[in-house]
Amino acid sequence: MAARIDQVVTSGTFSLDGGTWEVDNNVWIVGDDEECVVIDAAHDADAIAAAVGGRRLVAIVSTHGHDDHIDAAPDLAVRTGAPVLLHPDDLMLWKQRHPDASPSGELADGQVIEVAGTELTVLHTPGHSPGAVCLYAPSLGTVFSGDTLFQGGPGATGRSFSDFPTIITSIRERLLALPAGTVVRTGHGDSTTIGDEAPHLDEWIARGH
Ligand SMILES: [Fe+2]
């Protein structure tokens, strides 16, 4: 049986550079009836644990270290015993939210996380943050893009540790290289496809965001 993808939308705040904003986040759960992976433990460990149910949680994978994507990760890890994985280049962001906790493992470009017979390949896609990653699941025809690519353009690069030319390079070289039909499941808001977004790259570069 193939893995399925469940979506949980949770609400909370994102804080950086002295500001705080209300946000809704997409939490993605990939797995079968036996085991699963959580992509971004955002805001609400209760809601995420309920969606995991009695399944074995293989890992809590963090697309990046912004606090809206990792605020519930330590709580969920304690409840489930699952390791929290984060690219080390985002550790300084994680520490702003969780100074007394650390991720239990690292993500690296090319790393493959297996769950329920499905492979999730880590694509290091810096720009929104230095350690931002996407998770590509070719057998499911989808990429989990975190805050790197949304319906309508790149993730924000206006705050600390972000860089617009870097995110454009990541999108061009890593994400737009995927098959056009690949469904892009984002960290916030609606899904899109690589083929729907690819024609707009030059517009985004011209407008600068
Ligand atoms: Fe973010």
Side-chain angles (χ1 to χ4, degrees), residues 83-119:
V84 181
L85 308 180
L86 177 77
H87 193 288
D89 290 355
D90 269 11
L91 194 57
M92 72 297 189
L93 290 164
W94 167 283
K95 284 292 181 184
Q96 288 187 11
R97 179 67 184 225
H98 301 301
D100 300 323
S102 295
S104 32
E106 296 187 348
L107 296 171
D109 188 60
Q111 179 178 346
V112 175
I113 298 162
E114 289 194 23
V115 61
T118 295
E119 293 190 342

Side-chain angles (χ1 to χ4, degrees), residues 14 64 66 68-69 128 147 188:
F14 164 54
H64 61 298
H66 282 158
D68 54 325
H69 294 255
H128 179 68
D147 287 0
H188 307 273

Side-chain angles (χ1 to χ4, degrees), residues 17 55 60 118 127 131 150 192:
D17 296 342
R55 297 182 283 176
I60 301 163
T118 295
F150 292 107
T192 181

